[in-house]
mmCIF file of all heavy atoms in Angstrom:
data_model
loop_
_atom_site.group_PDB
_atom_site.id
_atom_site.type_symbol
_atom_site.label_atom_id
_atom_site.label_comp_id
_atom_site.label_asym_id
_atom_site.label_seq_id
_atom_site.Cartn_x
_atom_site.Cartn_y
_atom_site.Cartn_z
ATOM 1 N N ARG A 207 31.757 10.093 -61.466
ATOM 2 C CA ARG A 207 31.647 9.463 -60.150
ATOM 3 C C ARG A 207 32.648 8.323 -60.043
ATOM 4 O O ARG A 207 32.735 7.468 -60.910
ATOM 5 C CB ARG A 207 30.229 8.955 -59.918
ATOM 6 C CG ARG A 207 29.171 10.049 -59.845
ATOM 7 C CD ARG A 207 27.802 9.462 -59.565
ATOM 8 N NE ARG A 207 27.809 8.817 -58.259
ATOM 9 C CZ ARG A 207 26.878 7.942 -57.876
ATOM 10 N NH1 ARG A 207 25.918 7.583 -58.714
ATOM 11 N NH2 ARG A 207 26.916 7.409 -56.686
ATOM 12 N N PHE A 208 33.389 8.339 -58.918
ATOM 13 C CA PHE A 208 34.369 7.309 -58.637
ATOM 14 C C PHE A 208 34.186 6.833 -57.207
ATOM 15 O O PHE A 208 33.643 7.559 -56.365
ATOM 16 C CB PHE A 208 35.801 7.847 -58.803
ATOM 17 C CG PHE A 208 36.130 8.318 -60.188
ATOM 18 C CD1 PHE A 208 36.013 9.655 -60.530
ATOM 19 C CD2 PHE A 208 36.574 7.422 -61.148
ATOM 20 C CE1 PHE A 208 36.327 10.093 -61.797
ATOM 21 C CE2 PHE A 208 36.886 7.852 -62.423
ATOM 22 C CZ PHE A 208 36.763 9.187 -62.751
ATOM 23 N N PRO A 209 34.665 5.638 -56.890
ATOM 24 C CA PRO A 209 34.705 5.221 -55.488
ATOM 25 C C PRO A 209 35.595 6.159 -54.674
ATOM 26 O O PRO A 209 36.593 6.691 -55.178
ATOM 27 C CB PRO A 209 35.276 3.802 -55.545
ATOM 28 C CG PRO A 209 35.010 3.341 -56.934
ATOM 29 C CD PRO A 209 35.085 4.564 -57.805
ATOM 30 N N ALA A 210 35.253 6.347 -53.411
ATOM 31 C CA ALA A 210 35.995 7.292 -52.576
ATOM 32 C C ALA A 210 37.457 6.915 -52.459
ATOM 33 O O ALA A 210 38.322 7.799 -52.399
ATOM 34 C CB ALA A 210 35.352 7.360 -51.192
ATOM 35 N N TRP A 211 37.763 5.620 -52.440
ATOM 36 C CA TRP A 211 39.155 5.228 -52.239
ATOM 37 C C TRP A 211 40.032 5.673 -53.422
ATOM 38 O O TRP A 211 41.205 6.007 -53.228
ATOM 39 C CB TRP A 211 39.263 3.722 -52.027
ATOM 40 C CG TRP A 211 38.958 2.854 -53.215
ATOM 41 C CD1 TRP A 211 37.755 2.337 -53.565
ATOM 42 C CD2 TRP A 211 39.905 2.411 -54.204
ATOM 43 N NE1 TRP A 211 37.864 1.591 -54.717
ATOM 44 C CE2 TRP A 211 39.175 1.615 -55.128
ATOM 45 C CE3 TRP A 211 41.260 2.591 -54.413
ATOM 46 C CZ2 TRP A 211 39.781 1.011 -56.230
ATOM 47 C CZ3 TRP A 211 41.867 1.997 -55.514
ATOM 48 C CH2 TRP A 211 41.130 1.211 -56.405
ATOM 49 N N ILE A 212 39.482 5.718 -54.618
ATOM 50 C CA ILE A 212 40.257 6.183 -55.772
ATOM 51 C C ILE A 212 40.515 7.686 -55.663
ATOM 52 O O ILE A 212 41.646 8.159 -55.827
ATOM 53 C CB ILE A 212 39.523 5.850 -57.079
ATOM 54 C CG1 ILE A 212 39.456 4.337 -57.281
ATOM 55 C CG2 ILE A 212 40.212 6.518 -58.267
ATOM 56 C CD1 ILE A 212 38.715 3.921 -58.537
ATOM 57 N N VAL A 213 39.463 8.444 -55.390
ATOM 58 C CA VAL A 213 39.589 9.897 -55.335
ATOM 59 C C VAL A 213 40.508 10.326 -54.197
ATOM 60 O O VAL A 213 41.397 11.175 -54.376
ATOM 61 C CB VAL A 213 38.196 10.535 -55.179
ATOM 62 C CG1 VAL A 213 38.315 12.047 -54.992
ATOM 63 C CG2 VAL A 213 37.329 10.221 -56.388
ATOM 64 N N LEU A 214 40.315 9.747 -53.018
ATOM 65 C CA LEU A 214 41.077 10.192 -51.856
ATOM 66 C C LEU A 214 42.530 9.747 -51.922
ATOM 67 O O LEU A 214 43.432 10.495 -51.512
ATOM 68 C CB LEU A 214 40.417 9.684 -50.577
ATOM 69 C CG LEU A 214 39.028 10.278 -50.307
ATOM 70 C CD1 LEU A 214 38.429 9.698 -49.037
ATOM 71 C CD2 LEU A 214 39.104 11.797 -50.208
ATOM 72 N N LEU A 215 42.800 8.578 -52.436
ATOM 73 C CA LEU A 215 44.194 8.162 -52.598
ATOM 74 C C LEU A 215 44.895 9.013 -53.651
ATOM 75 O O LEU A 215 46.086 9.343 -53.511
ATOM 76 C CB LEU A 215 44.268 6.678 -52.961
ATOM 77 C CG LEU A 215 43.983 5.696 -51.832
ATOM 78 C CD1 LEU A 215 44.084 4.255 -52.325
ATOM 79 C CD2 LEU A 215 44.946 5.912 -50.659
ATOM 80 N N PHE A 216 44.170 9.368 -54.703
ATOM 81 C CA PHE A 216 44.742 10.257 -55.710
ATOM 82 C C PHE A 216 45.044 11.619 -55.104
ATOM 83 O O PHE A 216 46.106 12.217 -55.362
ATOM 84 C CB PHE A 216 43.771 10.382 -56.892
ATOM 85 C CG PHE A 216 44.254 11.296 -57.970
ATOM 86 C CD1 PHE A 216 45.280 10.910 -58.833
ATOM 87 C CD2 PHE A 216 43.693 12.555 -58.144
ATOM 88 C CE1 PHE A 216 45.734 11.760 -59.833
ATOM 89 C CE2 PHE A 216 44.135 13.414 -59.139
ATOM 90 C CZ PHE A 216 45.158 13.004 -59.988
ATOM 91 N N TRP A 217 44.118 12.127 -54.303
ATOM 92 C CA TRP A 217 44.349 13.408 -53.620
ATOM 93 C C TRP A 217 45.554 13.322 -52.691
ATOM 94 O O TRP A 217 46.398 14.234 -52.664
ATOM 95 C CB TRP A 217 43.101 13.786 -52.816
ATOM 96 C CG TRP A 217 43.242 15.073 -52.050
ATOM 97 C CD1 TRP A 217 42.975 16.330 -52.501
ATOM 98 C CD2 TRP A 217 43.701 15.220 -50.711
ATOM 99 N NE1 TRP A 217 43.226 17.257 -51.515
ATOM 100 C CE2 TRP A 217 43.671 16.599 -50.412
ATOM 101 C CE3 TRP A 217 44.109 14.329 -49.717
ATOM 102 C CZ2 TRP A 217 44.049 17.108 -49.166
ATOM 103 C CZ3 TRP A 217 44.498 14.829 -48.485
ATOM 104 C CH2 TRP A 217 44.466 16.203 -48.208
ATOM 105 N N PHE A 218 45.670 12.224 -51.939
ATOM 106 C CA PHE A 218 46.806 12.066 -51.026
ATOM 107 C C PHE A 218 48.121 12.011 -51.801
ATOM 108 O O PHE A 218 49.132 12.589 -51.371
ATOM 109 C CB PHE A 218 46.621 10.800 -50.187
ATOM 110 C CG PHE A 218 47.756 10.531 -49.245
ATOM 111 C CD1 PHE A 218 47.899 11.261 -48.082
ATOM 112 C CD2 PHE A 218 48.686 9.538 -49.528
ATOM 113 C CE1 PHE A 218 48.947 11.020 -47.207
ATOM 114 C CE2 PHE A 218 49.735 9.289 -48.659
ATOM 115 C CZ PHE A 218 49.866 10.036 -47.503
ATOM 116 N N PHE A 219 48.125 11.336 -52.924
ATOM 117 C CA PHE A 219 49.337 11.259 -53.734
ATOM 118 C C PHE A 219 49.770 12.649 -54.203
ATOM 119 O O PHE A 219 50.959 12.984 -54.197
ATOM 120 C CB PHE A 219 49.115 10.343 -54.945
ATOM 121 C CG PHE A 219 50.244 10.348 -55.931
ATOM 122 C CD1 PHE A 219 51.408 9.643 -55.684
ATOM 123 C CD2 PHE A 219 50.140 11.080 -57.114
ATOM 124 C CE1 PHE A 219 52.454 9.656 -56.584
ATOM 125 C CE2 PHE A 219 51.183 11.097 -58.031
ATOM 126 C CZ PHE A 219 52.350 10.384 -57.762
ATOM 127 N N LEU A 220 48.806 13.481 -54.606
ATOM 128 C CA LEU A 220 49.136 14.842 -55.032
ATOM 129 C C LEU A 220 49.730 15.648 -53.889
ATOM 130 O O LEU A 220 50.697 16.407 -54.082
ATOM 131 C CB LEU A 220 47.888 15.545 -55.567
ATOM 132 C CG LEU A 220 47.293 14.999 -56.872
ATOM 133 C CD1 LEU A 220 46.047 15.791 -57.250
ATOM 134 C CD2 LEU A 220 48.319 15.029 -58.005
ATOM 135 N N GLN A 221 49.175 15.507 -52.684
ATOM 136 C CA GLN A 221 49.709 16.242 -51.542
ATOM 137 C C GLN A 221 51.111 15.762 -51.185
ATOM 138 O O GLN A 221 52.000 16.566 -50.876
ATOM 139 C CB GLN A 221 48.780 16.083 -50.329
ATOM 140 C CG GLN A 221 47.329 16.401 -50.580
ATOM 141 C CD GLN A 221 47.116 17.749 -51.205
ATOM 142 O OE1 GLN A 221 47.517 18.774 -50.658
ATOM 143 N NE2 GLN A 221 46.468 17.778 -52.365
ATOM 144 N N TRP A 222 51.313 14.464 -51.232
ATOM 145 C CA TRP A 222 52.622 13.900 -50.928
ATOM 146 C C TRP A 222 53.667 14.381 -51.940
ATOM 147 O O TRP A 222 54.778 14.771 -51.565
ATOM 148 C CB TRP A 222 52.538 12.378 -50.909
ATOM 149 C CG TRP A 222 53.866 11.695 -50.758
ATOM 150 C CD1 TRP A 222 54.694 11.242 -51.743
ATOM 151 C CD2 TRP A 222 54.531 11.407 -49.528
ATOM 152 N NE1 TRP A 222 55.821 10.680 -51.199
ATOM 153 C CE2 TRP A 222 55.756 10.773 -49.852
ATOM 154 C CE3 TRP A 222 54.199 11.621 -48.185
ATOM 155 C CZ2 TRP A 222 56.648 10.348 -48.872
ATOM 156 C CZ3 TRP A 222 55.097 11.199 -47.216
ATOM 157 C CH2 TRP A 222 56.295 10.574 -47.553
#
Side-chain angles (χ1 to χ4, degrees):
R207 295 182 63 197
F208 298 95
W211 69 269
I212 294 179
V213 175
L214 294 179
L215 286 180
F216 179 74
W217 179 88
F218 178 76
F219 172 78
L220 293 179
Q221 308 308 302
W222 173 267

